[in-house]
Amino acid sequence: MDDTAKYLIHASIAADGVVERSDVVGAVFGQTEGLLGDELDLRDLQQSSKVGRIDVQIDSENGQSFGRITIASSLDKVETAILAASLETIDRVGPCQASVEVTNIEDVREAKRRQVIDRAKELLAGSFDESVMDSSKILEEVRESVRIEDITEYHDLPAGPRVADSDAIIVVEGRADVLTLLQYGIKNAIGVEGTNVPDTIADLTAERTVTAFLDGDRGGELILRELAQVGDVDYVVFAPEGRSVEDLARHEVMSALRDKTPYGDLFEDGAISSPADGDESTESTPPAAAVSVGDAGVSAEATTTVGTADDDADASASEPASAGDIDAVEDAATDDDGTDAPSTLRGHVRAIIDAETGSARLLDADFEAIETVSAGKAFDAIGDTDPAPYALVLDGQLTQRILDVAAQRGVEQVVARSAGEMVKTPVDVRVRTIDQFATAD
């Protein structure tokens, strides 16, 4: 009956004496029998499974009894209301005077409707956008797979397919760097595979225009020193400090290659010591003059051939990065720098909710950010994050589903833009909306 019930009748009972559960059940059946006619007779309704069992909880204290009566009903609204009203005609339970009052008629389906609506919103927000792939993305994915398959070997060194016949080459550190440049349509890169520059590359540098595109670390600087000693280097590009070429995005690679630095200018500026200094070189970072990733001033001239385009797709890879792309790289670099990260719960609330980011941020016990995701992915993030978060800041509506998984993972504080209707609220989780949070300030 519980699975098919539409309504729950809740009533309170008080008796001037000590009564038992069986006395209350008997009074319900006995004093309502024949009151409403055969169609609404309580016994007949139970036998036809239109009314569930009568659930009675009764307690006695100081010679009086108090309790609650709950009856499940699958009748319609009118019939259920009539049946509930009939309970208030009960005036005796066993030998004692008694009174019954209907406190509430609960619509069981309403709670299910709320759960369906909340779940549908989450599915709509998180399930469809990621599964849709437009034609441009399909074409780009296929083209990238073809470019990766184009990797070849030039005298046992990983290289792009145009290294053998191109009049310009790009020297990188390893196979992963060659693959990254192939993805972006650059087919004339070759990897040295270590700090010991092979004779093959030394011979190539004597005949071609050479651009050294190296990682932004000590290893990249050492490779440049040896390459300059055994061969000829025309231009130099370093990845940002602490990053590798294989980690760069397409617009970062193109911007860096456009703004490459002539090798001789590095020594004229004193940014890097001459190869003639030998082993006396001191620890230094890659020269700032050779790093152009993220610079808003993009040069209009490009003096090194990046590669020969076989089709329109490859030609598009050498187009200049837009100013918007460059600004996005600068913003991302600022976000990755942890110096301005909020260190308090209130700071994270300002950064996520007040800024209307539409995202959710998980925090540890020191209010350090563990992970930031879109609000639609908050449920999965809470369940999957290891270690379990201490607090959640949500720029969206807090649903019963998100609150339940937060309680299961041991989250102690939740601040959300708004909160939906809750069937149950865990006592171990402190829940506040942004208005309540501001009031507590």
Side-chain angles (χ1 to χ4, degrees), residues 26-50:
V28 171
F29 280 113
Q31 296 184 43
T32 60
E33 185 175 6
L35 181 63
L36 303 175
D38 294 339
E39 292 185 359
L40 292 178
D41 184 75
L42 196 53
R43 293 184 187 276
D44 293 340
L45 291 174
Q46 272 197 333
Q47 290 175 0
S48 60
S49 297
K50 293 182 179 179

mmCIF file with all atom_site columns, all heavy atoms in Angstrom, residues 26-50:
data_model
loop_
_atom_site.group_PDB
_atom_site.id
_atom_site.type_symbol
_atom_site.label_atom_id
_atom_site.label_alt_id
_atom_site.label_comp_id
_atom_site.label_asym_id
_atom_site.label_entity_id
_atom_site.label_seq_id
_atom_site.pdbx_PDB_ins_code
_atom_site.Cartn_x
_atom_site.Cartn_y
_atom_site.Cartn_z
_atom_site.occupancy
_atom_site.B_iso_or_equiv
_atom_site.pdbx_formal_charge
_atom_site.auth_seq_id
_atom_site.auth_comp_id
_atom_site.auth_asym_id
_atom_site.auth_atom_id
_atom_site.pdbx_PDB_model_num
ATOM 1   N N   . GLY A 1 26 ? -9.316  -0.319 17.431 1.00 0.00 ? 26 GLY A N   1
ATOM 2   C CA  . GLY A 1 26 ? -10.700 -0.765 17.570 1.00 0.00 ? 26 GLY A CA  1
ATOM 3   C C   . GLY A 1 26 ? -11.679 0.397  17.574 1.00 0.00 ? 26 GLY A C   1
ATOM 4   O O   . GLY A 1 26 ? -12.776 0.308  16.992 1.00 0.00 ? 26 GLY A O   1
ATOM 5   N N   . ALA A 1 27 ? -11.313 1.522  18.227 1.00 0.00 ? 27 ALA A N   1
ATOM 6   C CA  . ALA A 1 27 ? -12.188 2.685  18.254 1.00 0.00 ? 27 ALA A CA  1
ATOM 7   C C   . ALA A 1 27 ? -12.343 3.286  16.866 1.00 0.00 ? 27 ALA A C   1
ATOM 8   O O   . ALA A 1 27 ? -13.431 3.738  16.486 1.00 0.00 ? 27 ALA A O   1
ATOM 9   C CB  . ALA A 1 27 ? -11.628 3.720  19.220 1.00 0.00 ? 27 ALA A CB  1
ATOM 10  N N   . VAL A 1 28 ? -11.261 3.302  16.065 1.00 0.00 ? 28 VAL A N   1
ATOM 11  C CA  . VAL A 1 28 ? -11.326 3.852  14.709 1.00 0.00 ? 28 VAL A CA  1
ATOM 12  C C   . VAL A 1 28 ? -12.298 3.054  13.858 1.00 0.00 ? 28 VAL A C   1
ATOM 13  O O   . VAL A 1 28 ? -13.179 3.603  13.170 1.00 0.00 ? 28 VAL A O   1
ATOM 14  C CB  . VAL A 1 28 ? -9.923  3.894  14.066 1.00 0.00 ? 28 VAL A CB  1
ATOM 15  C CG1 . VAL A 1 28 ? -10.034 4.268  12.588 1.00 0.00 ? 28 VAL A CG1 1
ATOM 16  C CG2 . VAL A 1 28 ? -9.027  4.880  14.794 1.00 0.00 ? 28 VAL A CG2 1
ATOM 17  N N   . PHE A 1 29 ? -12.149 1.716  13.886 1.00 0.00 ? 29 PHE A N   1
ATOM 18  C CA  . PHE A 1 29 ? -13.053 0.884  13.095 1.00 0.00 ? 29 PHE A CA  1
ATOM 19  C C   . PHE A 1 29 ? -14.486 0.929  13.646 1.00 0.00 ? 29 PHE A C   1
ATOM 20  O O   . PHE A 1 29 ? -15.460 1.057  12.899 1.00 0.00 ? 29 PHE A O   1
ATOM 21  C CB  . PHE A 1 29 ? -12.560 -0.564 13.079 1.00 0.00 ? 29 PHE A CB  1
ATOM 22  C CG  . PHE A 1 29 ? -11.441 -0.804 12.102 1.00 0.00 ? 29 PHE A CG  1
ATOM 23  C CD1 . PHE A 1 29 ? -10.165 -1.129 12.541 1.00 0.00 ? 29 PHE A CD1 1
ATOM 24  C CD2 . PHE A 1 29 ? -11.662 -0.703 10.742 1.00 0.00 ? 29 PHE A CD2 1
ATOM 25  C CE1 . PHE A 1 29 ? -9.147  -1.359 11.649 1.00 0.00 ? 29 PHE A CE1 1
ATOM 26  C CE2 . PHE A 1 29 ? -10.635 -0.931 9.838  1.00 0.00 ? 29 PHE A CE2 1
ATOM 27  C CZ  . PHE A 1 29 ? -9.365  -1.245 10.294 1.00 0.00 ? 29 PHE A CZ  1
ATOM 28  N N   . GLY A 1 30 ? -14.617 0.813  14.948 1.00 0.00 ? 30 GLY A N   1
ATOM 29  C CA  . GLY A 1 30 ? -15.945 0.704  15.542 1.00 0.00 ? 30 GLY A CA  1
ATOM 30  C C   . GLY A 1 30 ? -16.780 1.962  15.420 1.00 0.00 ? 30 GLY A C   1
ATOM 31  O O   . GLY A 1 30 ? -17.976 1.907  15.093 1.00 0.00 ? 30 GLY A O   1
ATOM 32  N N   . GLN A 1 31 ? -16.175 3.126  15.653 1.00 0.00 ? 31 GLN A N   1
ATOM 33  C CA  . GLN A 1 31 ? -16.951 4.356  15.689 1.00 0.00 ? 31 GLN A CA  1
ATOM 34  C C   . GLN A 1 31 ? -17.122 5.012  14.321 1.00 0.00 ? 31 GLN A C   1
ATOM 35  O O   . GLN A 1 31 ? -17.857 5.987  14.192 1.00 0.00 ? 31 GLN A O   1
ATOM 36  C CB  . GLN A 1 31 ? -16.326 5.341  16.678 1.00 0.00 ? 31 GLN A CB  1
ATOM 37  C CG  . GLN A 1 31 ? -16.352 4.821  18.111 1.00 0.00 ? 31 GLN A CG  1
ATOM 38  C CD  . GLN A 1 31 ? -15.830 5.839  19.115 1.00 0.00 ? 31 GLN A CD  1
ATOM 39  O OE1 . GLN A 1 31 ? -16.170 7.022  19.022 1.00 0.00 ? 31 GLN A OE1 1
ATOM 40  N NE2 . GLN A 1 31 ? -15.038 5.367  20.062 1.00 0.00 ? 31 GLN A NE2 1
ATOM 41  N N   . THR A 1 32 ? -16.417 4.511  13.280 1.00 0.00 ? 32 THR A N   1
ATOM 42  C CA  . THR A 1 32 ? -16.640 5.027  11.922 1.00 0.00 ? 32 THR A CA  1
ATOM 43  C C   . THR A 1 32 ? -17.455 4.063  11.082 1.00 0.00 ? 32 THR A C   1
ATOM 44  O O   . THR A 1 32 ? -17.838 4.402  9.958  1.00 0.00 ? 32 THR A O   1
ATOM 45  C CB  . THR A 1 32 ? -15.294 5.292  11.217 1.00 0.00 ? 32 THR A CB  1
ATOM 46  O OG1 . THR A 1 32 ? -14.548 4.067  11.139 1.00 0.00 ? 32 THR A OG1 1
ATOM 47  C CG2 . THR A 1 32 ? -14.484 6.345  11.950 1.00 0.00 ? 32 THR A CG2 1
ATOM 48  N N   . GLU A 1 33 ? -17.741 2.875  11.612 1.00 0.00 ? 33 GLU A N   1
ATOM 49  C CA  . GLU A 1 33 ? -18.465 1.866  10.843 1.00 0.00 ? 33 GLU A CA  1
ATOM 50  C C   . GLU A 1 33 ? -19.896 2.349  10.567 1.00 0.00 ? 33 GLU A C   1
ATOM 51  O O   . GLU A 1 33 ? -20.633 2.744  11.470 1.00 0.00 ? 33 GLU A O   1
ATOM 52  C CB  . GLU A 1 33 ? -18.497 0.541  11.605 1.00 0.00 ? 33 GLU A CB  1
ATOM 53  C CG  . GLU A 1 33 ? -19.132 -0.598 10.821 1.00 0.00 ? 33 GLU A CG  1
ATOM 54  C CD  . GLU A 1 33 ? -19.045 -1.923 11.559 1.00 0.00 ? 33 GLU A CD  1
ATOM 55  O OE1 . GLU A 1 33 ? -18.596 -1.923 12.724 1.00 0.00 ? 33 GLU A OE1 1
ATOM 56  O OE2 . GLU A 1 33 ? -19.418 -2.946 10.982 1.00 0.00 ? 33 GLU A OE2 1
ATOM 57  N N   . GLY A 1 34 ? -20.293 2.307  9.296  1.00 0.00 ? 34 GLY A N   1
ATOM 58  C CA  . GLY A 1 34 ? -21.624 2.717  8.885  1.00 0.00 ? 34 GLY A CA  1
ATOM 59  C C   . GLY A 1 34 ? -21.835 4.212  8.857  1.00 0.00 ? 34 GLY A C   1
ATOM 60  O O   . GLY A 1 34 ? -22.910 4.681  8.462  1.00 0.00 ? 34 GLY A O   1
ATOM 61  N N   . LEU A 1 35 ? -20.819 5.007  9.249  1.00 0.00 ? 35 LEU A N   1
ATOM 62  C CA  . LEU A 1 35 ? -20.976 6.451  9.317  1.00 0.00 ? 35 LEU A CA  1
ATOM 63  C C   . LEU A 1 35 ? -21.032 7.090  7.935  1.00 0.00 ? 35 LEU A C   1
ATOM 64  O O   . LEU A 1 35 ? -21.805 8.020  7.695  1.00 0.00 ? 35 LEU A O   1
ATOM 65  C CB  . LEU A 1 35 ? -19.818 7.049  10.129 1.00 0.00 ? 35 LEU A CB  1
ATOM 66  C CG  . LEU A 1 35 ? -19.814 8.571  10.326 1.00 0.00 ? 35 LEU A CG  1
ATOM 67  C CD1 . LEU A 1 35 ? -21.055 8.995  11.128 1.00 0.00 ? 35 LEU A CD1 1
ATOM 68  C CD2 . LEU A 1 35 ? -18.539 9.003  11.031 1.00 0.00 ? 35 LEU A CD2 1
ATOM 69  N N   . LEU A 1 36 ? -20.250 6.561  7.006  1.00 0.00 ? 36 LEU A N   1
ATOM 70  C CA  . LEU A 1 36 ? -20.130 7.169  5.687  1.00 0.00 ? 36 LEU A CA  1
ATOM 71  C C   . LEU A 1 36 ? -20.739 6.325  4.572  1.00 0.00 ? 36 LEU A C   1
ATOM 72  O O   . LEU A 1 36 ? -20.543 6.632  3.386  1.00 0.00 ? 36 LEU A O   1
ATOM 73  C CB  . LEU A 1 36 ? -18.643 7.429  5.358  1.00 0.00 ? 36 LEU A CB  1
ATOM 74  C CG  . LEU A 1 36 ? -17.888 8.295  6.360  1.00 0.00 ? 36 LEU A CG  1
ATOM 75  C CD1 . LEU A 1 36 ? -16.419 8.382  5.983  1.00 0.00 ? 36 LEU A CD1 1
ATOM 76  C CD2 . LEU A 1 36 ? -18.503 9.690  6.426  1.00 0.00 ? 36 LEU A CD2 1
ATOM 77  N N   . GLY A 1 37 ? -21.419 5.256  4.914  1.00 0.00 ? 37 GLY A N   1
ATOM 78  C CA  . GLY A 1 37 ? -22.009 4.402  3.900  1.00 0.00 ? 37 GLY A CA  1
ATOM 79  C C   . GLY A 1 37 ? -21.051 3.309  3.462  1.00 0.00 ? 37 GLY A C   1
ATOM 80  O O   . GLY A 1 37 ? -19.882 3.263  3.857  1.00 0.00 ? 37 GLY A O   1
ATOM 81  N N   . ASP A 1 38 ? -21.553 2.418  2.601  1.00 0.00 ? 38 ASP A N   1
ATOM 82  C CA  . ASP A 1 38 ? -20.768 1.250  2.193  1.00 0.00 ? 38 ASP A CA  1
ATOM 83  C C   . ASP A 1 38 ? -19.550 1.635  1.360  1.00 0.00 ? 38 ASP A C   1
ATOM 84  O O   . ASP A 1 38 ? -18.498 0.988  1.428  1.00 0.00 ? 38 ASP A O   1
ATOM 85  C CB  . ASP A 1 38 ? -21.652 0.290  1.400  1.00 0.00 ? 38 ASP A CB  1
ATOM 86  C CG  . ASP A 1 38 ? -22.749 -0.319 2.274  1.00 0.00 ? 38 ASP A CG  1
ATOM 87  O OD1 . ASP A 1 38 ? -22.568 -0.318 3.513  1.00 0.00 ? 38 ASP A OD1 1
ATOM 88  O OD2 . ASP A 1 38 ? -23.772 -0.776 1.719  1.00 0.00 ? 38 ASP A OD2 1
ATOM 89  N N   . GLU A 1 39 ? -19.645 2.700  0.513  1.00 0.00 ? 39 GLU A N   1
ATOM 90  C CA  . GLU A 1 39 ? -18.528 3.046  -0.389 1.00 0.00 ? 39 GLU A CA  1
ATOM 91  C C   . GLU A 1 39 ? -17.308 3.563  0.369  1.00 0.00 ? 39 GLU A C   1
ATOM 92  O O   . GLU A 1 39 ? -16.183 3.428  -0.111 1.00 0.00 ? 39 GLU A O   1
ATOM 93  C CB  . GLU A 1 39 ? -18.988 4.095  -1.391 1.00 0.00 ? 39 GLU A CB  1
ATOM 94  C CG  . GLU A 1 39 ? -20.011 3.561  -2.382 1.00 0.00 ? 39 GLU A CG  1
ATOM 95  C CD  . GLU A 1 39 ? -20.366 4.596  -3.432 1.00 0.00 ? 39 GLU A CD  1
ATOM 96  O OE1 . GLU A 1 39 ? -19.810 5.729  -3.344 1.00 0.00 ? 39 GLU A OE1 1
ATOM 97  O OE2 . GLU A 1 39 ? -21.172 4.299  -4.310 1.00 0.00 ? 39 GLU A OE2 1
ATOM 98  N N   . LEU A 1 40 ? -17.517 4.148  1.546  1.00 0.00 ? 40 LEU A N   1
ATOM 99  C CA  . LEU A 1 40 ? -16.395 4.680  2.322  1.00 0.00 ? 40 LEU A CA  1
ATOM 100 C C   . LEU A 1 40 ? -16.247 3.953  3.658  1.00 0.00 ? 40 LEU A C   1
ATOM 101 O O   . LEU A 1 40 ? -15.691 4.505  4.604  1.00 0.00 ? 40 LEU A O   1
ATOM 102 C CB  . LEU A 1 40 ? -16.565 6.177  2.560  1.00 0.00 ? 40 LEU A CB  1
ATOM 103 C CG  . LEU A 1 40 ? -16.460 7.066  1.323  1.00 0.00 ? 40 LEU A CG  1
ATOM 104 C CD1 . LEU A 1 40 ? -16.691 8.522  1.685  1.00 0.00 ? 40 LEU A CD1 1
ATOM 105 C CD2 . LEU A 1 40 ? -15.101 6.912  0.644  1.00 0.00 ? 40 LEU A CD2 1
ATOM 106 N N   . ASP A 1 41 ? -16.709 2.711  3.724  1.00 0.00 ? 41 ASP A N   1
ATOM 107 C CA  . ASP A 1 41 ? -16.525 1.909  4.930  1.00 0.00 ? 41 ASP A CA  1
ATOM 108 C C   . ASP A 1 41 ? -15.049 1.547  5.061  1.00 0.00 ? 41 ASP A C   1
ATOM 109 O O   . ASP A 1 41 ? -14.432 1.033  4.112  1.00 0.00 ? 41 ASP A O   1
ATOM 110 C CB  . ASP A 1 41 ? -17.373 0.648  4.876  1.00 0.00 ? 41 ASP A CB  1
ATOM 111 C CG  . ASP A 1 41 ? -17.253 -0.150 6.168  1.00 0.00 ? 41 ASP A CG  1
ATOM 112 O OD1 . ASP A 1 41 ? -17.835 0.260  7.186  1.00 0.00 ? 41 ASP A OD1 1
ATOM 113 O OD2 . ASP A 1 41 ? -16.513 -1.171 6.140  1.00 0.00 ? 41 ASP A OD2 1
ATOM 114 N N   . LEU A 1 42 ? -14.468 1.805  6.213  1.00 0.00 ? 42 LEU A N   1
ATOM 115 C CA  . LEU A 1 42 ? -13.026 1.654  6.398  1.00 0.00 ? 42 LEU A CA  1
ATOM 116 C C   . LEU A 1 42 ? -12.561 0.218  6.201  1.00 0.00 ? 42 LEU A C   1
ATOM 117 O O   . LEU A 1 42 ? -11.516 -0.028 5.593  1.00 0.00 ? 42 LEU A O   1
ATOM 118 C CB  . LEU A 1 42 ? -12.634 2.162  7.794  1.00 0.00 ? 42 LEU A CB  1
ATOM 119 C CG  . LEU A 1 42 ? -11.155 2.429  8.027  1.00 0.00 ? 42 LEU A CG  1
ATOM 120 C CD1 . LEU A 1 42 ? -10.571 3.358  6.977  1.00 0.00 ? 42 LEU A CD1 1
ATOM 121 C CD2 . LEU A 1 42 ? -10.937 3.002  9.423  1.00 0.00 ? 42 LEU A CD2 1
ATOM 122 N N   . ARG A 1 43 ? -13.344 -0.748 6.676  1.00 0.00 ? 43 ARG A N   1
ATOM 123 C CA  . ARG A 1 43 ? -12.931 -2.156 6.519  1.00 0.00 ? 43 ARG A CA  1
ATOM 124 C C   . ARG A 1 43 ? -12.922 -2.548 5.044  1.00 0.00 ? 43 ARG A C   1
ATOM 125 O O   . ARG A 1 43 ? -11.988 -3.216 4.567  1.00 0.00 ? 43 ARG A O   1
ATOM 126 C CB  . ARG A 1 43 ? -13.864 -3.067 7.308  1.00 0.00 ? 43 ARG A CB  1
ATOM 127 C CG  . ARG A 1 43 ? -13.784 -2.898 8.813  1.00 0.00 ? 43 ARG A CG  1
ATOM 128 C CD  . ARG A 1 43 ? -14.665 -3.911 9.533  1.00 0.00 ? 43 ARG A CD  1
ATOM 129 N NE  . ARG A 1 43 ? -14.725 -3.641 10.956 1.00 0.00 ? 43 ARG A NE  1
ATOM 130 C CZ  . ARG A 1 43 ? -13.815 -4.048 11.832 1.00 0.00 ? 43 ARG A CZ  1
ATOM 131 N NH1 . ARG A 1 43 ? -12.768 -4.743 11.412 1.00 0.00 ? 43 ARG A NH1 1
ATOM 132 N NH2 . ARG A 1 43 ? -13.947 -3.760 13.112 1.00 0.00 ? 43 ARG A NH2 1
ATOM 133 N N   . ASP A 1 44 ? -13.990 -2.149 4.308  1.00 0.00 ? 44 ASP A N   1
ATOM 134 C CA  . ASP A 1 44 ? -14.049 -2.488 2.885  1.00 0.00 ? 44 ASP A CA  1
ATOM 135 C C   . ASP A 1 44 ? -12.925 -1.814 2.110  1.00 0.00 ? 44 ASP A C   1
ATOM 136 O O   . ASP A 1 44 ? -12.340 -2.403 1.181  1.00 0.00 ? 44 ASP A O   1
ATOM 137 C CB  . ASP A 1 44 ? -15.399 -2.065 2.307  1.00 0.00 ? 44 ASP A CB  1
ATOM 138 C CG  . ASP A 1 44 ? -16.556 -2.874 2.891  1.00 0.00 ? 44 ASP A CG  1
ATOM 139 O OD1 . ASP A 1 44 ? -16.288 -3.981 3.427  1.00 0.00 ? 44 ASP A OD1 1
ATOM 140 O OD2 . ASP A 1 44 ? -17.713 -2.397 2.821  1.00 0.00 ? 44 ASP A OD2 1
ATOM 141 N N   . LEU A 1 45 ? -12.608 -0.578 2.469  1.00 0.00 ? 45 LEU A N   1
ATOM 142 C CA  . LEU A 1 45 ? -11.527 0.126  1.776  1.00 0.00 ? 45 LEU A CA  1
ATOM 143 C C   . LEU A 1 45 ? -10.179 -0.539 2.018  1.00 0.00 ? 45 LEU A C   1
ATOM 144 O O   . LEU A 1 45 ? -9.324  -0.600 1.116  1.00 0.00 ? 45 LEU A O   1
ATOM 145 C CB  . LEU A 1 45 ? -11.474 1.589  2.246  1.00 0.00 ? 45 LEU A CB  1
ATOM 146 C CG  . LEU A 1 45 ? -12.648 2.472  1.826  1.00 0.00 ? 45 LEU A CG  1
ATOM 147 C CD1 . LEU A 1 45 ? -12.547 3.837  2.481  1.00 0.00 ? 45 LEU A CD1 1
ATOM 148 C CD2 . LEU A 1 45 ? -12.694 2.627  0.301  1.00 0.00 ? 45 LEU A CD2 1
ATOM 149 N N   . GLN A 1 46 ? -9.947  -1.047 3.224  1.00 0.00 ? 46 GLN A N   1
ATOM 150 C CA  . GLN A 1 46 ? -8.705  -1.766 3.500  1.00 0.00 ? 46 GLN A CA  1
ATOM 151 C C   . GLN A 1 46 ? -8.619  -3.067 2.714  1.00 0.00 ? 46 GLN A C   1
ATOM 152 O O   . GLN A 1 46 ? -7.583  -3.422 2.171  1.00 0.00 ? 46 GLN A O   1
ATOM 153 C CB  . GLN A 1 46 ? -8.577  -2.047 4.998  1.00 0.00 ? 46 GLN A CB  1
ATOM 154 C CG  . GLN A 1 46 ? -7.915  -0.936 5.791  1.00 0.00 ? 46 GLN A CG  1
ATOM 155 C CD  . GLN A 1 46 ? -7.438  -1.399 7.144  1.00 0.00 ? 46 GLN A CD  1
ATOM 156 O OE1 . GLN A 1 46 ? -7.985  -2.344 7.724  1.00 0.00 ? 46 GLN A OE1 1
ATOM 157 N NE2 . GLN A 1 46 ? -6.439  -0.736 7.684  1.00 0.00 ? 46 GLN A NE2 1
ATOM 158 N N   . GLN A 1 47 ? -9.736  -3.785 2.635  1.00 0.00 ? 47 GLN A N   1
ATOM 159 C CA  . GLN A 1 47 ? -9.737  -5.055 1.912  1.00 0.00 ? 47 GLN A CA  1
ATOM 160 C C   . GLN A 1 47 ? -9.490  -4.852 0.419  1.00 0.00 ? 47 GLN A C   1
ATOM 161 O O   . GLN A 1 47 ? -8.889  -5.707 -0.237 1.00 0.00 ? 47 GLN A O   1
ATOM 162 C CB  . GLN A 1 47 ? -11.080 -5.773 2.135  1.00 0.00 ? 47 GLN A CB  1
ATOM 163 C CG  . GLN A 1 47 ? -11.261 -6.298 3.556  1.00 0.00 ? 47 GLN A CG  1
ATOM 164 C CD  . GLN A 1 47 ? -12.633 -6.900 3.778  1.00 0.00 ? 47 GLN A CD  1
ATOM 165 O OE1 . GLN A 1 47 ? -13.476 -6.938 2.871  1.00 0.00 ? 47 GLN A OE1 1
ATOM 166 N NE2 . GLN A 1 47 ? -12.875 -7.392 5.005  1.00 0.00 ? 47 GLN A NE2 1
ATOM 167 N N   . SER A 1 48 ? -9.930  -3.733 -0.118 1.00 0.00 ? 48 SER A N   1
ATOM 168 C CA  . SER A 1 48 ? -9.707  -3.439 -1.534 1.00 0.00 ? 48 SER A CA  1
ATOM 169 C C   . SER A 1 48 ? -8.405  -2.662 -1.766 1.00 0.00 ? 48 SER A C   1
ATOM 170 O O   . SER A 1 48 ? -8.150  -2.190 -2.872 1.00 0.00 ? 48 SER A O   1
ATOM 171 C CB  . SER A 1 48 ? -10.873 -2.619 -2.088 1.00 0.00 ? 48 SER A CB  1
ATOM 172 O OG  . SER A 1 48 ? -11.016 -1.390 -1.385 1.00 0.00 ? 48 SER A OG  1
ATOM 173 N N   . SER A 1 49 ? -7.575  -2.519 -0.729 1.00 0.00 ? 49 SER A N   1
ATOM 174 C CA  . SER A 1 49 ? -6.258  -1.861 -0.800 1.00 0.00 ? 49 SER A CA  1
ATOM 175 C C   . SER A 1 49 ? -6.340  -0.400 -1.201 1.00 0.00 ? 49 SER A C   1
ATOM 176 O O   . SER A 1 49 ? -5.385  0.171  -1.733 1.00 0.00 ? 49 SER A O   1
ATOM 177 C CB  . SER A 1 49 ? -5.331  -2.606 -1.775 1.00 0.00 ? 49 SER A CB  1
ATOM 178 O OG  . SER A 1 49 ? -5.080  -3.909 -1.331 1.00 0.00 ? 49 SER A OG  1
ATOM 179 N N   . LYS A 1 50 ? -7.483  0.241  -0.938 1.00 0.00 ? 50 LYS A N   1
ATOM 180 C CA  . LYS A 1 50 ? -7.589  1.673  -1.179 1.00 0.00 ? 50 LYS A CA  1
ATOM 181 C C   . LYS A 1 50 ? -7.149  2.487  0.034  1.00 0.00 ? 50 LYS A C   1
ATOM 182 O O   . LYS A 1 50 ? -6.888  3.682  -0.069 1.00 0.00 ? 50 LYS A O   1
ATOM 183 C CB  . LYS A 1 50 ? -9.029  2.038  -1.553 1.00 0.00 ? 50 LYS A CB  1
ATOM 184 C CG  . LYS A 1 50 ? -9.454  1.461  -2.903 1.00 0.00 ? 50 LYS A CG  1
ATOM 185 C CD  . LYS A 1 50 ? -10.861 1.894  -3.252 1.00 0.00 ? 50 LYS A CD  1
ATOM 186 C CE  . LYS A 1 50 ? -11.278 1.335  -4.618 1.00 0.00 ? 50 LYS A CE  1
ATOM 187 N NZ  . LYS A 1 50 ? -12.667 1.726  -4.959 1.00 0.00 ? 50 LYS A NZ  1
#
